[in-house]
Amino acid sequence: MYSLAFKLFLFLSLFQIFVSARTLTQEPNQFQLLKYHKGALLSGKISVNLIWYGEFKPSQRAIISDFITSLTPSSKTLNQPSVATWWKTTEKYYKLAASDKNPLSLTLGKQIIDDTYTLGKSLTDQHIRKLASKGDQHDAVNVVLTSADVAVTGFGMSRCGTHGHARGFGKRGTKFAYIWVGNSETQCPGQCAWPFHAPVYGPQSPPLVAPNNDVGLDGMVINLASLLAGTATNPFGNGYYQGPQNAPLEAASACPGVYGKGAYPGYAGDLLVDTTTGGSFNAYGENGRKFLLPALYDPTTSGCSTMV
C-alpha cells in the first residue's frame, strides 16, 4: 500500500530527499484533492496497541507511547504547536465525507513485548500480519514496531513502513487495521530517518539533531505519524487517496519532505529548535516531549498544512 510513495521518492530523489513517502515540497493548490472513494474511515474510540518486536529500551518505548498519548488534547500540554493540533487536520476529511459516525478518538492501548524474536530476525509481510493479530481486532489499530536488528521484506529498499488491514478471527467479515514501522537507525537511515541522517540521494544538507536524541526512534515517529494519518483516512483501501489502490498517496504521503514553512528539496522547512539540546521539532507533546511530524494534506485548501 505504501510502495508508490517510496517509488515516488526514488524518482524524486534524483533532485531531492526521501522520508518514508516524504520528499517533495509543494506550494498550495499544486495537489488535486485526494479523492474520497466512499469507504469507511476509522471512527469512534480506537485503541492504538503497540507490539514491540525485538529489543527496545524502556526509554525508546516511552518516545512512541508519549507520541500516541499526545494525539488527544490534554490540559497537560499547553505549549503550541502541539501534536493534538497537528492531528486535528484529519478531522477535515471526516467533515467532507459527511460521516454520521462518532468522531475518531485515539487512545494508547495495550503494549505487547516480544523481545525474544519468536519469528526470527527476518520477517515477511505475513509475519507482520501475524504479529499485528496479537492486538485487539475490534476498535483498534495494531502497530508493529521492529527493532534495528530486524530485517523486513522491502525495508529501506521500497518502504520504511506500511499500513493495511487483515481479516479478524471473530465474526465473519470483520477486519482490523494495522501498521508496521521499522527502526532504520542502522539499516537504512538515509532513506527512512531523514532529516536526522544524511540522505542517500539529493542535496546533502547537514542532518538535523533528533529532538529525543535517538535518530532511529525519532525517525520512527515521523513514519508512524504519516502511516497513522493514512490509516485514519484510508483504513481499508477505499477511503481518501490518490493514485492506484494498492500504492496510494494519502494524507501525509501527499506532502513528502515538508515539515515547516519554506521547505524545499533537501530542506525540511523552518523549524523550532530546542535551545538546550539543539534538536529540531515542530510539535510539543506529553511529558515535555518534542516531535518532528510530517505536513498533512489539507483537503479544504488543497495544500500541505505545516505546524510552523
Side-chain angles (χ1 to χ4, degrees), residues 234-253:
N234 187 32
F236 305 119
N238 54 5
Y240 283 96
Y241 68 88
Q242 174 183 322
Q245 186 179 29
N246 63 342
L249 290 180
E250 299 172 323
S253 57

Side-chain angles (χ1 to χ4, degrees), residues 134-162:
K134 292 184 177 182
D136 295 333
Q137 297 179 18
H138 183 67
D139 293 335
V141 174
N142 297 327
V143 180
V144 177
L145 302 145
T146 52
S147 58
D149 57 347
V150 174
V152 178
T153 301
F155 185 33
M157 293 181 290
S158 62
R159 58 186 181 171
C160 301
T162 191

Side-chain angles (χ1 to χ4, degrees), residues 147-186:
S147 58
D149 57 347
V150 174
V152 178
T153 301
F155 185 33
M157 293 181 290
S158 62
R159 58 186 181 171
C160 301
T162 191
H163 80 85
H165 60 275
R167 189 183 302 276
F169 294 139
K171 184 179 178 181
R172 183 178 181 182
T174 61
K175 51 190 175 182
F176 65 94
Y178 69 89
I179 293 171
W180 159 70
V181 178
N183 184 338
S184 64
E185 181 179 9
T186 57

Side-chain angles (χ1 to χ4, degrees), residues 52 70 97-98 100 107 125 130 139 150 154 174 194 197 206 209 219 235 237 288:
W52 301 93
S70 300
D100 58 354
T107 59
D125 288 343
K130 184 175 182 178
D139 293 335
V150 174
T174 61
W194 185 84
H197 189 280
V209 176

Side-chain angles (χ1 to χ4, degrees), residues 71-92:
L71 293 167
T72 302
S74 169
S75 58
K76 297 180 182 179
T77 306
L78 300 177
N79 291 326
Q80 294 295 328
S82 70
V83 175
T85 302
W86 169 82
W87 184 249
K88 273 187 171 295
T89 298
T90 62
E91 294 179 2
K92 299 180 180 182

Side-chain angles (χ1 to χ4, degrees), residues 63-299:
I63 293 172
I64 301 294
S65 299
D66 286 344
F67 167 66
I68 298 300
T69 303
S70 300
L71 293 167
T72 302
S74 169
S75 58
K76 297 180 182 179
T77 306
L78 300 177
N79 291 326
Q80 294 295 328
S82 70
V83 175
T85 302
W86 169 82
W87 184 249
K88 273 187 171 295
T89 298
T90 62
E91 294 179 2
K92 299 180 180 182
Y93 289 81
Y94 289 75
K95 292 178 180 178
L96 289 176
S99 176
D100 58 354
K101 295 185 177 181
N102 295 327
L104 175 62
S105 175
L106 296 178
T107 59
L108 179 62
K110 299 176 182 177
Q111 298 204 45
I112 301 170
I113 299 176
D114 184 343
D115 55 5
T116 60
Y117 305 90
T118 56
L119 299 180
K121 291 189 176 182
S122 182
L123 305 182
T124 64
D125 288 343
Q126 185 176 3
H127 290 136
I128 295 298
R129 286 191 293 271
K130 184 175 182 178
L131 289 170
S133 68
K134 292 184 177 182
D136 295 333
Q137 297 179 18
H138 183 67
D139 293 335
V141 174
N142 297 327
V143 180
V144 177
L145 302 145
T146 52
S147 58
D149 57 347
V150 174
V152 178
T153 301
F155 185 33
M157 293 181 290
S158 62
R159 58 186 181 171
C160 301
T162 191
H163 80 85
H165 60 275
R167 189 183 302 276
F169 294 139
K171 184 179 178 181
R172 183 178 181 182
T174 61
K175 51 190 175 182
F176 65 94
Y178 69 89
I179 293 171
W180 159 70
V181 178
N183 184 338
S184 64
E185 181 179 9
T186 57
Q187 295 188 52
C188 49
Q191 291 95 332
C192 300
W194 185 84
F196 305 129
H197 189 280
V200 175
Y201 305 103
Q204 298 295 307
S205 301
L208 303 179
V209 176
N212 294 287
N213 197 34
D214 191 317
V215 170
L217 267 292
D218 280 301
M220 291 182 81
V221 168
I222 291 175
N223 294 312
L224 175 57
S226 175
L227 291 163
L228 197 58
T231 299
T233 56
N234 187 32
F236 305 119
N238 54 5
Y240 283 96
Y241 68 88
Q242 174 183 322
Q245 186 179 29
N246 63 342
L249 290 180
E250 299 172 323
S253 57
C255 295
V258 182
Y259 298 92
K261 290 182 174 60
Y264 56 81
Y267 177 62
D270 301 330
L271 304 173
L272 301 173
V273 178
D274 188 304
T275 56
T276 301
T277 66
S280 294
F281 67 101
N282 59 8
Y284 293 92
E286 293 290 297
N287 296 321
R289 293 286 184 190
K290 299 176 178 68
F291 299 103
L292 184 64
L293 305 177
L296 294 181
Y297 176 79
D298 187 330

